[in-house]
Amino acid sequence: MRSLQILLVVSVGVILVSSVPLEQGKRLIKTSEEEPAKWMTDDEIWSLIEKHQNFIDITDHQDMPVAKPEDVDIKAIPTTLRYQTAVRTVLNSINADRIEAFVTQFSSYHNRYYTSATGLESQKWLLAQVQESIRGYAGQASVREVTHTWAQSSIVARIEGADPTLASEVIILGGHQDSVNIWSSAMAAPGADDNASGSVVVLESLRAIVNSGFIPKRSIEFQWYAAEEVGLRGSAAIAQEYSRQGVNVVGMFNFDVPGYQASGVTDIGIYTDNVNSALTQFLRILTTEYLEFGQRDRTCGYGCSDHVSFGNYNFPSAMAAEHTLHPQMHTAQDNLAGVSFTQVREFVKLAIGAIVEFGEPSN
């Protein structure tokens, strides 16, 4: 056993230096802004999952910068809407049957746990869907797998911006692909709401962009993350890569659990903690203009989803999700019956509005 000096960031912006043991087989886990990170065994991490405790695995991110709102570049974020005609043209390409077919298939796997055989199988099926979706696109598009140290890869589809000046600015739509059952990694976890519904929001937005022939000025990436349920590991790896490479991410929109609609609720949740306030306000403007549903501000706590990974690397990020969380989340009962496809389509409209208004039509 040896010690490693690690910089830990707390919410008031003070940096604490803590000497923690570097232990073989353990992961460095952070459960709040205030508490120092701790090395944990798999059993200890699983106890957090069983308790629905949010956490971030920072084992591979000990050089993570101090996240400061003043360091986030928000100059590109729109404050008004200008491309309503272009947005509504793309909205016409949304296919409701295609959305339902995707969630039906994606939730049919025994589970999509990041180290399981079906977690890998489901990821390869998703990859094939993404690759098929960009065929025939009028602009320039590509798909890549982001491999990790575990079985399941993350997936990134990219549409290149057509404007020579703005193409280096990247807008991201993201959602995690994995699922988990709190009782065991071997048990069934259909994850229809968490997060087949978010995965299809990202995919259907890509398909609608391709089918409509929309070509943006800025570049747009569509991302599906592995290993979100065990500490945001897939998205953190990509955010770290982009930070090190100097990728100019001007906005990251995360879609996690948009599928469950509580009885009598016709509002979506606009999440206000661990997000960029300017990008969040942009989501509110988009919701008012393009959605039939209303909106309510919500919070989800420390490390609740993949937008946090990008915020931790000083990229502007925001999240929209269901207003009321699925009561059977992380169980075998998170199945197709609990998904409102009417609500999922509302989130697809929000995602399309975000990338068209932000991406800007090139013609």
Side-chain angles (χ1 to χ4, degrees), residues 26 35 38 42 53 66 80 94 106 115 118 152 166 175 263 287 290 343 355:
K26 292 188 177 182
E35 294 294 322
K38 297 178 181 179
D42 287 345
Q53 169 72 57
V66 178
T80 60
I94 296 173
F106 211 41
T115 60
T118 50
Q152 191 179 66
L166 296 178
S263 178
T287 301
Y290 295 118
Q343 180 169 283
I355 56 179

Side-chain angles (χ1 to χ4, degrees), residues 3-8 15-21 36-39:
S3 292
L4 180 67
Q5 296 293 317
I6 297 176
L7 297 182
L8 299 176
I15 300 176
L16 302 179
V17 179
S18 175
S19 182
V20 296
K38 297 178 181 179
W39 290 98

Side-chain angles (χ1 to χ4, degrees), residues 316-346:
S317 63
M319 185 175 84
E322 59 203 23
H323 170 269
T324 305
L325 294 181
H326 195 304
Q328 300 297 329
M329 187 181 295
H330 297 167
T331 74
Q333 284 68 53
D334 178 7
N335 52 37
L336 203 63
V339 176
S340 164
F341 288 102
T342 297
Q343 180 169 283
V344 172
R345 288 195 297 275
E346 291 293 291

Side-chain angles (χ1 to χ4, degrees), residues 5-40:
Q5 296 293 317
I6 297 176
L7 297 182
L8 299 176
V9 184
V10 297
S11 58
V12 294
V14 178
I15 300 176
L16 302 179
V17 179
S18 175
S19 182
V20 296
L22 184 61
E23 299 186 52
Q24 186 69 27
K26 292 188 177 182
R27 306 291 301 180
L28 189 58
I29 303 298
K30 200 157 167 53
T31 58
S32 74
E33 290 285 0
E34 297 77 21
E35 294 294 322
K38 297 178 181 179
W39 290 98
M40 293 188 178

